[in-house]
Amino acid sequence: MRKLTFGMNLSLDGYIAAPGDDIGWSVPSDELFQWWSDRVGATNLSLYGRKLWETMSSYWPTADQQPDATPAEIEFAHRWQDMPKVVFSSTTRTVDWNTRLVTGDAVTEITRLKAEDGGPMDIGGATLAAAAMRAGLIDEYVLATAPVLVGSGTPFFTALDNWVNLTLMETRTFPDGVVLTRYETKR
């Protein structure tokens, strides 16, 4: 069975985006960016909701060709382009860059993917991750918590019907006061 991880940058008050989908507060330090890049390099399959897919696919397919691209950005772009991806959307019509589109029930498909043999999977996008969270499909949570309060926006966590007990696996502090925590779901 494959492991499914939900990880994102978030504000101290628990939001992955401020109102208006503003993520300007979440620009990672070079060290944190490298940590996320290494994570992408170790991920076997990435699952995206529509909004996060649109954000990622609007930049990373050509980021390595930009004249001001850093070596770290070029490395991340190559890793992202090469990594198999699944996009869950009922409105998106086409996808590219080593990606497959799923228009049906996300929980059913994620359950099927988890049951397959293979390496770790990451899930991204608030709505998609919320559905997987409510279905009890997420095995690990990775929170890169920035020292900023945004007041409202898109929450990292969704409303749940039941408690989810977690075990702390790692804590790490990055420049700019970002604290990374990794939690494993107790089964």
Side-chain angles (χ1 to χ4, degrees), residues 26-68:
S26 69
V27 175
S29 66
D30 291 344
E31 186 180 340
L32 181 57
F33 184 81
Q34 187 62 56
W35 189 91
W36 283 117
S37 180
D38 291 344
R39 180 155 188 85
V40 168
T43 298
N44 184 259
L45 179 65
S46 190
L47 312 179
Y48 285 97
R50 179 193 53 82
K51 285 176 72 174
L52 183 58
W53 168 252
E54 288 173 353
T55 299
M56 297 295 282
S57 67
S58 70
Y59 183 74
W60 290 110
T62 60
D64 57 332
Q65 301 163 22
Q66 302 305 311
D68 60 342

Side-chain angles (χ1 to χ4, degrees), residues 169-187:
M169 304 302 292
E170 176 184 7
T171 59
R172 181 172 170 185
T173 303
F174 286 89
D176 303 325
V178 173
V179 176
L180 181 118
T181 51
R182 288 180 45 237
Y183 295 92
E184 188 174 77
T185 303
K186 288 184 183 178
R187 302 263 185 228

Side-chain angles (χ1 to χ4, degrees), residues 13-24:
D13 52 351
Y15 296 97
I16 59 175
D21 293 329
D22 183 357
I23 58 172

Side-chain angles (χ1 to χ4, degrees), residues 25-164:
W25 54 269
S26 69
V27 175
S29 66
D30 291 344
E31 186 180 340
L32 181 57
F33 184 81
Q34 187 62 56
W35 189 91
W36 283 117
S37 180
D38 291 344
R39 180 155 188 85
V40 168
T43 298
N44 184 259
L45 179 65
S46 190
L47 312 179
Y48 285 97
R50 179 193 53 82
K51 285 176 72 174
L52 183 58
W53 168 252
E54 288 173 353
T55 299
M56 297 295 282
S57 67
S58 70
Y59 183 74
W60 290 110
T62 60
D64 57 332
Q65 301 163 22
Q66 302 305 311
D68 60 342
T70 67
E73 290 170 329
I74 292 169
E75 177 184 51
F76 183 92
H78 291 167
R79 287 174 167 177
W80 185 86
Q81 293 162 9
D82 292 344
M83 179 181 52
K85 297 170 276 300
V86 176
V87 173
F88 294 83
S89 174
S90 60
T91 58
T92 301
R93 296 293 170 235
T94 60
V95 293
D96 206 345
W97 307 288
N98 202 17
T99 305
R100 179 172 64 89
L101 178 63
V102 172
T103 58
D105 182 66
V107 169
T108 300
E109 180 63 8
I110 295 167
T111 301
R112 186 189 71 73
L113 290 169
K114 278 193 64 154
E116 291 180 347
D117 289 334
M121 299 186 305
D122 279 353
I123 189 168
T127 303
L128 180 63
M133 204 180 299
R134 282 189 301 274
L137 296 173
I138 297 180
D139 303 299
E140 182 178 324
Y141 296 87
V142 178
L143 294 78
T145 306
V148 61
L149 302 172
V150 300
S152 65
T154 305
F156 180 86
F157 291 105
T158 187
L160 298 171
D161 296 327
N162 299 301
W163 292 1
V164 177

